[in-house]
Coordinates of all heavy atoms in Angstrom, one line a residue:
M1 N -13.8 3.4 -20.8 CA -12.5 2.9 -20.6 C -12.0 3.0 -19.2 O -11.4 2.1 -18.6 CB -11.5 3.5 -21.6 CG -10.2 3.0 -21.5 SD -9.6 2.6 -23.2 CE -8.0 2.3 -22.9
Y2 N -12.3 4.2 -18.6 CA -11.9 4.5 -17.2 C -12.4 3.3 -16.3 O -11.6 2.8 -15.5 CB -12.5 5.8 -16.8 CG -12.8 6.0 -15.4 CD1 -11.9 6.3 -14.4 CD2 -14.1 5.7 -14.9 CE1 -12.2 6.4 -13.1 CE2 -14.5 5.9 -13.6 CZ -13.5 6.2 -12.7 OH -13.8 6.3 -11.4
A3 N -13.7 3.0 -16.3 CA -14.2 2.1 -15.4 C -13.7 0.7 -15.7 O -13.5 -0.1 -14.7 CB -15.8 2.1 -15.5
Q4 N -13.5 0.3 -16.9 CA -13.0 -1.0 -17.2 C -11.6 -1.2 -16.7 O -11.2 -2.2 -16.2 CB -13.1 -1.3 -18.7 CG -14.5 -1.5 -19.2 CD -14.6 -1.8 -20.7 OE1 -13.7 -1.4 -21.4 NE2 -15.6 -2.5 -21.1
N5 N -10.7 -0.2 -17.0 CA -9.3 -0.3 -16.5 C -9.3 -0.4 -14.9 O -8.6 -1.2 -14.4 CB -8.5 0.9 -16.9 CG -8.3 0.9 -18.4 OD1 -8.3 -0.2 -19.0 ND2 -8.0 2.0 -19.0
M6 N -10.1 0.4 -14.3 CA -10.2 0.4 -12.8 C -10.7 -1.0 -12.4 O -10.2 -1.6 -11.4 CB -11.0 1.5 -12.3 CG -11.1 1.6 -10.8 SD -12.0 2.9 -10.1 CE -13.6 2.5 -10.8
G7 N -11.7 -1.5 -13.0 CA -12.3 -2.8 -12.7 C -11.3 -3.9 -12.8 O -11.2 -4.8 -12.0
S8 N -10.5 -3.8 -13.9 CA -9.4 -4.8 -14.1 C -8.4 -4.7 -13.0 O -7.9 -5.8 -12.5 CB -8.7 -4.6 -15.4 OG -9.6 -4.8 -16.5
R9 N -8.0 -3.5 -12.6 CA -7.0 -3.4 -11.5 C -7.6 -3.9 -10.2 O -6.9 -4.5 -9.4 CB -6.6 -1.9 -11.4 CG -5.6 -1.6 -12.5 CD -5.1 -0.2 -12.4 NE -4.2 0.1 -13.5 CZ -3.1 0.7 -13.4 NH1 -2.7 1.2 -12.2 NH2 -2.3 0.9 -14.4
I10 N -8.9 -3.6 -9.9 CA -9.5 -4.2 -8.7 C -9.5 -5.7 -8.7 O -9.1 -6.3 -7.7 CB -10.9 -3.6 -8.5 CG1 -10.9 -2.1 -8.2 CG2 -11.7 -4.4 -7.4 CD1 -12.2 -1.4 -8.3
R11 N -9.9 -6.3 -9.8 CA -10.0 -7.7 -10.0 C -8.6 -8.3 -9.8 O -8.4 -9.3 -9.0 CB -10.5 -8.1 -11.3 CG -10.6 -9.6 -11.5 CD -11.2 -10.0 -12.8 NE -10.6 -9.4 -14.0 CZ -11.2 -8.4 -14.7 NH1 -12.4 -8.0 -14.4 NH2 -10.5 -7.9 -15.7
E12 N -7.6 -7.8 -10.4 CA -6.2 -8.3 -10.3 C -5.7 -8.2 -8.9 O -5.1 -9.2 -8.4 CB -5.3 -7.6 -11.3 CG -5.6 -7.9 -12.7 CD -4.9 -6.9 -13.7 OE1 -4.1 -6.1 -13.3 OE2 -5.2 -7.0 -14.9
S13 N -5.9 -7.1 -8.3 CA -5.4 -6.9 -6.9 C -6.2 -7.8 -5.9 O -5.6 -8.4 -5.0 CB -5.6 -5.4 -6.4 OG -4.8 -4.6 -7.2
R14 N -7.4 -8.0 -6.2 CA -8.2 -8.9 -5.3 C -7.7 -10.3 -5.5 O -7.5 -11.0 -4.5 CB -9.7 -8.8 -5.7 CG -10.6 -9.8 -5.0 CD -12.0 -9.8 -5.5 NE -12.2 -10.0 -6.9 CZ -12.2 -11.2 -7.5 NH1 -11.9 -12.3 -6.8 NH2 -12.4 -11.3 -8.8
K15 N -7.5 -10.8 -6.7 CA -7.1 -12.1 -6.9 C -5.7 -12.4 -6.4 O -5.4 -13.4 -5.8 CB -7.1 -12.5 -8.4 CG -8.5 -12.7 -8.9 CD -8.5 -13.1 -10.4 CE -9.8 -13.4 -10.9 NZ -9.8 -13.9 -12.3
R16 N -4.8 -11.4 -6.5 CA -3.4 -11.5 -5.9 C -3.4 -11.7 -4.4 O -2.5 -12.4 -3.9 CB -2.6 -10.3 -6.2 CG -1.8 -10.4 -7.5 CD -0.7 -9.3 -7.6 NE -1.3 -8.0 -7.9 CZ -1.6 -7.5 -9.1 NH1 -1.5 -8.3 -10.1 NH2 -2.1 -6.3 -9.2
R17 N -4.4 -11.2 -3.8 CA -4.6 -11.4 -2.3 C -5.4 -12.6 -1.9 O -5.7 -12.8 -0.8 CB -5.1 -10.1 -1.7 CG -4.0 -9.0 -1.7 CD -4.5 -7.6 -1.8 NE -3.4 -6.7 -1.9 CZ -2.7 -6.4 -3.0 NH1 -3.0 -7.0 -4.1 NH2 -1.8 -5.5 -3.0
G18 N -5.9 -13.3 -2.9 CA -6.6 -14.5 -2.7 C -8.0 -14.3 -2.1 O -8.5 -15.1 -1.3
I19 N -8.6 -13.1 -2.5 CA -9.9 -12.8 -2.0 C -10.9 -13.0 -3.1 O -10.7 -12.6 -4.3 CB -10.0 -11.3 -1.6 CG1 -8.9 -11.0 -0.5 CG2 -11.4 -10.9 -1.2 CD1 -8.8 -9.5 -0.2
T20 N -12.1 -13.7 -2.8 CA -13.1 -13.9 -3.8 C -14.0 -12.6 -3.9 O -14.0 -11.8 -3.0 CB -14.0 -15.1 -3.4 OG1 -14.7 -14.7 -2.2 CG2 -13.2 -16.3 -3.2
Q21 N -14.8 -12.6 -5.0 CA -15.7 -11.5 -5.1 C -16.7 -11.5 -3.9 O -17.0 -10.4 -3.4 CB -16.5 -11.6 -6.4 CG -15.8 -11.1 -7.6 CD -16.6 -11.2 -8.8 OE1 -17.7 -11.8 -8.9 NE2 -16.2 -10.5 -9.9
K22 N -17.1 -12.6 -3.5 CA -18.1 -12.7 -2.4 C -17.4 -12.2 -1.1 O -18.1 -11.5 -0.3 CB -18.5 -14.2 -2.2 CG -19.5 -14.4 -1.1 CD -19.9 -15.8 -0.9 CE -20.8 -16.0 0.3 NZ -21.2 -17.3 0.6
E23 N -16.2 -12.6 -0.8 CA -15.5 -12.1 0.4 C -15.3 -10.6 0.3 O -15.5 -9.9 1.4 CB -14.1 -12.8 0.5 CG -14.2 -14.3 0.8 CD -12.9 -15.0 0.7 OE1 -12.1 -14.6 -0.1 OE2 -12.8 -16.0 1.4
L24 N -14.9 -10.0 -0.8 CA -14.8 -8.6 -0.9 C -16.1 -7.9 -0.7 O -16.2 -6.9 0.0 CB -14.2 -8.2 -2.3 CG -13.9 -6.7 -2.5 CD1 -12.9 -6.2 -1.4 CD2 -13.4 -6.5 -3.9
A25 N -17.2 -8.4 -1.3 CA -18.5 -7.9 -1.1 C -18.9 -7.8 0.4 O -19.4 -6.8 0.9 CB -19.5 -8.6 -1.9
E26 N -18.6 -8.9 1.1 CA -18.9 -9.0 2.5 C -18.1 -8.0 3.3 O -18.6 -7.3 4.2 CB -18.7 -10.4 3.1 CG -19.7 -11.4 2.5 CD -19.3 -12.9 2.9 OE1 -18.2 -13.1 3.4 OE2 -20.2 -13.7 2.6
M27 N -16.8 -7.8 3.0 CA -16.0 -6.8 3.7 C -16.5 -5.4 3.5 O -16.4 -4.6 4.3 CB -14.5 -7.0 3.2 CG -13.9 -8.2 3.7 SD -12.1 -8.2 3.3 CE -12.1 -9.2 1.8
L28 N -17.1 -5.2 2.3 CA -17.5 -3.8 1.9 C -19.0 -3.6 2.3 O -19.5 -2.5 2.1 CB -17.4 -3.6 0.4 CG -15.9 -3.6 -0.1 CD1 -15.9 -3.7 -1.6 CD2 -15.2 -2.3 0.3
H29 N -19.7 -4.7 2.7 CA -21.1 -4.6 3.0 C -21.9 -4.2 1.8 O -22.8 -3.4 1.9 CB -21.4 -3.7 4.2 CG -20.6 -4.0 5.4 ND1 -20.8 -5.1 6.2 CD2 -19.5 -3.4 6.0 CE1 -20.0 -5.2 7.2 NE2 -19.1 -4.1 7.1
V30 N -21.6 -4.8 0.6 CA -22.3 -4.6 -0.6 C -22.6 -6.0 -1.2 O -22.1 -7.0 -0.7 CB -21.5 -3.8 -1.6 CG1 -21.2 -2.4 -1.1 CG2 -20.2 -4.4 -2.1
S31 N -23.4 -6.0 -2.3 CA -23.7 -7.3 -2.9 C -22.5 -7.8 -3.8 O -21.7 -7.0 -4.3 CB -25.0 -7.2 -3.7 OG -24.7 -6.4 -4.9
K32 N -22.5 -9.1 -4.0 CA -21.5 -9.7 -4.9 C -21.7 -9.2 -6.3 O -20.7 -9.0 -7.0 CB -21.6 -11.2 -4.8 CG -20.5 -11.9 -5.7 CD -20.8 -13.4 -5.8 CE -19.9 -14.1 -6.8 NZ -20.3 -13.7 -8.2
S33 N -23.0 -9.0 -6.7 CA -23.2 -8.5 -8.0 C -22.7 -7.1 -8.2 O -22.2 -6.8 -9.3 CB -24.7 -8.6 -8.4 OG -25.5 -7.7 -7.5
L34 N -22.7 -6.3 -7.2 CA -22.1 -5.0 -7.3 C -20.6 -5.1 -7.6 O -20.0 -4.4 -8.4 CB -22.3 -4.1 -6.1 CG -21.7 -2.7 -6.1 CD1 -22.2 -1.9 -7.3 CD2 -21.9 -2.0 -4.8
V35 N -19.9 -5.9 -6.8 CA -18.5 -6.1 -7.0 C -18.2 -6.6 -8.4 O -17.3 -6.1 -9.1 CB -17.9 -7.1 -6.0 CG1 -16.4 -7.5 -6.3 CG2 -18.0 -6.5 -4.6
S36 N -19.0 -7.6 -8.9 CA -18.9 -8.1 -10.3 C -19.1 -7.0 -11.3 O -18.3 -6.8 -12.2 CB -19.9 -9.2 -10.5 OG -19.8 -9.6 -11.8
D37 N -20.1 -6.1 -11.1 CA -20.3 -5.0 -12.0 C -19.2 -4.0 -12.0 O -18.8 -3.5 -13.1 CB -21.6 -4.3 -11.6 CG -22.9 -5.0 -12.0 OD1 -22.8 -6.0 -12.7 OD2 -24.0 -4.6 -11.5
I38 N -18.6 -3.8 -10.9 CA -17.5 -2.9 -10.8 C -16.3 -3.4 -11.5 O -15.6 -2.7 -12.3 CB -17.1 -2.6 -9.3 CG1 -18.2 -1.8 -8.6 CG2 -15.7 -1.9 -9.2 CD1 -18.1 -1.7 -7.1
E39 N -16.0 -4.7 -11.3 CA -14.8 -5.3 -12.0 C -15.0 -5.4 -13.5 O -14.0 -5.4 -14.2 CB -14.6 -6.7 -11.4 CG -14.0 -6.7 -10.0 CD -13.7 -8.0 -9.4 OE1 -13.8 -9.1 -10.1 OE2 -13.1 -8.1 -8.3
R40 N -16.3 -5.5 -14.0 CA -16.5 -5.5 -15.4 C -16.6 -4.2 -16.0 O -16.8 -4.0 -17.2 CB -17.8 -6.3 -15.7 CG -17.6 -7.8 -15.5 CD -18.9 -8.6 -15.8 NE -20.0 -8.3 -14.9 CZ -21.1 -7.8 -15.3 NH1 -21.4 -7.5 -16.5 NH2 -22.1 -7.5 -14.4
G41 N -16.5 -3.1 -15.2 CA -16.6 -1.8 -15.7 C -18.0 -1.3 -16.0 O -18.2 -0.3 -16.7
Q42 N -19.0 -2.0 -15.4 CA -20.4 -1.6 -15.6 C -20.9 -0.6 -14.6 O -22.0 0.0 -14.8 CB -21.2 -2.9 -15.5 CG -20.9 -3.9 -16.5 CD -21.0 -3.5 -17.9 OE1 -22.1 -3.0 -18.3 NE2 -20.0 -3.6 -18.7
R43 N -20.2 -0.4 -13.5 CA -20.6 0.6 -12.5 C -19.4 1.5 -12.1 O -18.3 1.0 -12.0 CB -21.0 -0.2 -11.2 CG -22.3 -1.0 -11.3 CD -23.5 -0.2 -11.3 NE -23.8 0.5 -10.1 CZ -24.5 0.0 -9.1 NH1 -25.1 -1.1 -9.2 NH2 -24.7 0.8 -8.0
R44 N -19.7 2.7 -11.8 CA -18.7 3.6 -11.3 C -18.8 3.6 -9.8 O -19.8 3.3 -9.2 CB -19.0 5.0 -11.9 CG -18.7 5.1 -13.3 CD -18.8 6.6 -13.8 NE -18.4 6.7 -15.2 CZ -17.3 7.2 -15.6 NH1 -16.5 7.8 -14.8 NH2 -17.1 7.3 -16.9
L45 N -17.7 4.1 -9.2 CA -17.6 4.1 -7.7 C -17.7 5.5 -7.2 O -17.1 6.5 -7.8 CB -16.3 3.5 -7.3 CG -16.0 2.1 -7.7 CD1 -14.6 1.7 -7.2 CD2 -17.0 1.2 -7.0
C46 N -18.3 5.6 -6.0 CA -18.2 6.9 -5.3 C -16.8 6.9 -4.6 O -16.2 5.9 -4.5 CB -19.3 7.0 -4.3 SG -19.3 5.8 -2.9
A47 N -16.4 8.1 -4.2 CA -15.1 8.2 -3.6 C -14.9 7.3 -2.3 O -13.9 6.7 -2.1 CB -14.8 9.7 -3.3
E48 N -16.0 7.3 -1.6 CA -15.9 6.5 -0.3 C -15.7 5.0 -0.6 O -14.9 4.4 0.0 CB -17.2 6.7 0.5 CG -17.2 5.9 1.8 CD -18.5 6.2 2.6 OE1 -19.3 7.0 2.2 OE2 -18.6 5.5 3.6
L49 N -16.4 4.4 -1.6 CA -16.3 3.0 -1.9 C -14.9 2.8 -2.5 O -14.3 1.8 -2.2 CB -17.4 2.5 -2.8 CG -17.5 1.0 -3.1 CD1 -17.5 0.2 -1.8 CD2 -18.7 0.7 -3.9
L50 N -14.5 3.7 -3.4 CA -13.1 3.5 -4.0 C -12.1 3.5 -2.9 O -11.2 2.6 -2.9 CB -12.8 4.7 -4.9 CG -11.4 4.8 -5.5 CD1 -11.2 3.6 -6.4 CD2 -11.3 6.1 -6.3
N51 N -12.2 4.4 -1.9 CA -11.2 4.4 -0.8 C -11.3 3.1 0.0 O -10.2 2.6 0.4 CB -11.5 5.6 0.1 CG -10.5 5.8 1.1 OD1 -9.3 5.9 0.8 ND2 -10.9 5.9 2.4
D52 N -12.5 2.6 0.3 CA -12.6 1.4 1.1 C -12.0 0.2 0.3 O -11.3 -0.6 0.9 CB -14.1 1.1 1.3 CG -14.7 2.1 2.3 OD1 -14.0 2.8 3.0 OD2 -16.0 2.1 2.4
I53 N -12.2 0.1 -1.0 CA -11.6 -1.0 -1.8 C -10.1 -0.9 -1.8 O -9.4 -1.9 -1.6 CB -12.2 -1.0 -3.2 CG1 -13.7 -1.4 -3.2 CG2 -11.4 -1.9 -4.1 CD1 -14.4 -1.2 -4.5
A54 N -9.6 0.3 -2.0 CA -8.1 0.5 -2.0 C -7.5 0.1 -0.7 O -6.5 -0.6 -0.6 CB -7.8 2.0 -2.3
N55 N -8.2 0.5 0.4 CA -7.7 0.1 1.8 C -7.7 -1.4 2.0 O -6.7 -2.0 2.5 CB -8.4 0.8 2.9 CG -8.1 2.3 3.0 OD1 -7.0 2.7 2.6 ND2 -9.0 3.1 3.5
L56 N -8.8 -2.0 1.6 CA -8.9 -3.5 1.8 C -7.9 -4.2 1.0 O -7.4 -5.3 1.4 CB -10.3 -3.9 1.5 CG -11.4 -3.6 2.5 CD1 -12.8 -3.9 2.0 CD2 -11.1 -4.3 3.8
L57 N -7.6 -3.7 -0.2 CA -6.7 -4.5 -1.1 C -5.3 -4.0 -0.9 O -4.4 -4.6 -1.6 CB -7.1 -4.3 -2.6 CG -8.5 -4.8 -2.9 CD1 -8.9 -4.5 -4.4 CD2 -8.6 -6.3 -2.6
G58 N -5.0 -3.0 -0.1 CA -3.7 -2.6 0.2 C -3.0 -1.9 -1.0 O -1.8 -2.0 -1.2
V59 N -3.8 -1.2 -1.8 CA -3.3 -0.4 -2.9 C -3.8 1.1 -2.8 O -4.6 1.3 -1.9 CB -3.7 -1.0 -4.3 CG1 -3.2 -2.4 -4.5 CG2 -5.2 -1.0 -4.4
S60 N -3.2 1.9 -3.6 CA -3.7 3.3 -3.5 C -4.9 3.5 -4.5 O -5.0 2.8 -5.4 CB -2.6 4.3 -3.9 OG -2.2 4.2 -5.3
A61 N -5.7 4.5 -4.1 CA -6.7 4.9 -5.1 C -6.2 5.3 -6.4 O -6.7 5.1 -7.4 CB -7.6 6.0 -4.4
D62 N -5.0 6.0 -6.4 CA -4.3 6.4 -7.6 C -4.0 5.2 -8.5 O -4.1 5.3 -9.7 CB -3.1 7.2 -7.3 CG -3.4 8.7 -6.9 OD1 -4.5 9.1 -7.2 OD2 -2.5 9.3 -6.4
Y63 N -3.6 4.1 -7.9 CA -3.3 2.9 -8.6 C -4.6 2.4 -9.3 O -4.6 2.1 -10.5 CB -2.7 1.8 -7.7 CG -2.6 0.5 -8.5 CD1 -1.6 0.3 -9.4 CD2 -3.4 -0.5 -8.2 CE1 -1.5 -0.9 -10.1 CE2 -3.4 -1.7 -8.9 CZ -2.4 -1.9 -9.9 OH -2.3 -3.1 -10.6
L64 N -5.7 2.3 -8.5 CA -6.9 1.8 -9.0 C -7.4 2.7 -10.2 O -8.0 2.2 -11.1 CB -8.0 1.6 -7.9 CG -7.6 0.6 -6.9 CD1 -8.7 0.6 -5.8 CD2 -7.4 -0.8 -7.5
L65 N -7.3 4.0 -10.0 CA -7.7 5.0 -11.0 C -6.8 5.0 -12.3 O -7.2 5.7 -13.2 CB -7.8 6.4 -10.4 CG -8.9 6.5 -9.4 CD1 -8.8 7.9 -8.7 CD2 -10.3 6.5 -10.1
G66 N -5.7 4.4 -12.2 CA -4.8 4.4 -13.3 C -3.8 5.6 -13.4 O -3.2 5.9 -14.4
R67 N -3.8 6.3 -12.3 CA -2.9 7.5 -12.2 C -1.4 7.1 -12.0 O -0.5 7.9 -12.3 CB -3.3 8.5 -11.1 CG -4.7 9.1 -11.4 CD -5.1 10.0 -10.3 NE -6.3 10.6 -10.6 CZ -7.0 11.3 -9.7 NH1 -6.6 11.5 -8.5 NH2 -8.2 11.8 -10.0
T68 N -1.2 5.9 -11.5 CA 0.1 5.4 -11.4 C 0.1 3.9 -11.7 O -1.0 3.3 -11.5 CB 0.7 5.6 -9.9 OG1 2.0 5.1 -9.9 CG2 -0.2 5.0 -8.9
D69 N 1.2 3.4 -12.2 CA 1.2 1.9 -12.4 C 1.9 1.2 -11.3 O 2.1 0.0 -11.4 CB 2.0 1.7 -13.8 CG 1.1 2.1 -15.0 OD1 -0.1 2.1 -14.8 OD2 1.7 2.5 -16.0
T70 N 2.3 1.9 -10.3 CA 3.1 1.3 -9.2 C 2.1 0.8 -8.1 O 1.4 1.6 -7.5 CB 4.1 2.3 -8.6 OG1 4.9 2.8 -9.6 CG2 4.9 1.7 -7.5
E71 N 2.0 -0.5 -8.0 CA 1.2 -1.1 -7.0 C 2.2 -1.5 -5.8 O 3.2 -2.1 -6.0 CB 0.6 -2.4 -7.5 CG -0.3 -3.0 -6.4 CD -0.9 -4.3 -6.9 OE1 -0.5 -4.8 -8.0 OE2 -1.8 -4.8 -6.2
P72 N 1.8 -1.1 -4.6 CA 2.7 -1.5 -3.5 C 2.8 -3.0 -3.4 O 1.9 -3.7 -3.7 CB 2.0 -0.9 -2.3 CG 0.7 -0.3 -2.7 CD 0.6 -0.4 -4.2
P73 N 4.0 -3.4 -2.9 CA 4.1 -4.9 -2.8 C 3.2 -5.4 -1.7 O 2.8 -4.7 -0.8 CB 5.6 -5.0 -2.3 CG 6.0 -3.7 -1.8 CD 5.1 -2.7 -2.5
T74 N 2.8 -6.7 -1.9 CA 1.9 -7.3 -0.9 C 2.7 -7.6 0.3 O 3.8 -8.0 0.3 CB 1.4 -8.7 -1.5 OG1 0.8 -8.5 -2.7 CG2 0.5 -9.4 -0.5
Q75 N 2.1 -7.2 1.4 CA 2.8 -7.3 2.7 C 2.4 -8.6 3.3 O 1.3 -9.0 3.3 CB 2.4 -6.2 3.7 CG 2.8 -4.8 3.2 CD 2.4 -3.7 4.1 OE1 1.8 -4.0 5.1 NE2 2.7 -2.5 3.8
S76 N 3.4 -9.3 3.9 CA 3.1 -10.6 4.6 C 3.0 -10.3 6.1 O 3.6 -9.4 6.6 CB 4.2 -11.6 4.3 OG 5.5 -11.1 4.6
C77 N 2.3 -11.2 6.7 CA 2.1 -11.0 8.2 C 3.3 -11.6 8.9 O 3.9 -12.5 8.6 CB 0.8 -11.7 8.6 SG -0.6 -11.0 7.8

């Protein structure tokens, strides 16, 4: 359940920012299939990758982990 909830939050945050799985994978220097597996809850993340995803999506690791339901507002340029 942990990985699926986190994967859903990653997917939702990614989509809100208009980023494709392929684009996120390229930013993280990983494969698109890894991003897909993470979003489907099939893979767990190391702390470094979790931190990188949170930074790229502009959310906290606590939000992705489900420790808080508060997602920071999307910042406009």
Side-chain angles (χ1 to χ4, degrees):
M1 182 131 168
Y2 147 85
Q4 287 179 336
N5 290 339
M6 183 178 60
S8 295
R9 286 182 179 224
I10 291 170
R11 181 178 52 253
E12 292 165 6
S13 295
R14 173 183 59 76
K15 286 183 174 185
R16 266 194 287 280
R17 283 150 185 82
I19 300 171
T20 66
Q21 284 185 342
K22 181 181 178 186
E23 291 168 333
L24 182 59
E26 289 171 355
M27 289 185 262
L28 294 167
H29 305 289
V30 300
S31 69
K32 180 188 170 290
S33 63
L34 176 61
V35 172
S36 177
D37 287 349
I38 291 167
E39 289 186 358
R40 289 184 292 118
Q42 302 298 310
R43 295 283 296 264
R44 290 189 178 249
L45 298 175
C46 66
E48 183 179 350
L49 188 54
L50 174 64
N51 188 54
D52 289 346
I53 291 171
N55 287 335
L56 286 170
L57 297 178
V59 297
S60 69
D62 281 343
Y63 172 76
L64 295 179
L65 290 168
R67 292 179 179 170
T68 180
D69 290 329
T70 305
E71 180 183 12
T74 303
Q75 297 180 359
S76 58
C77 297

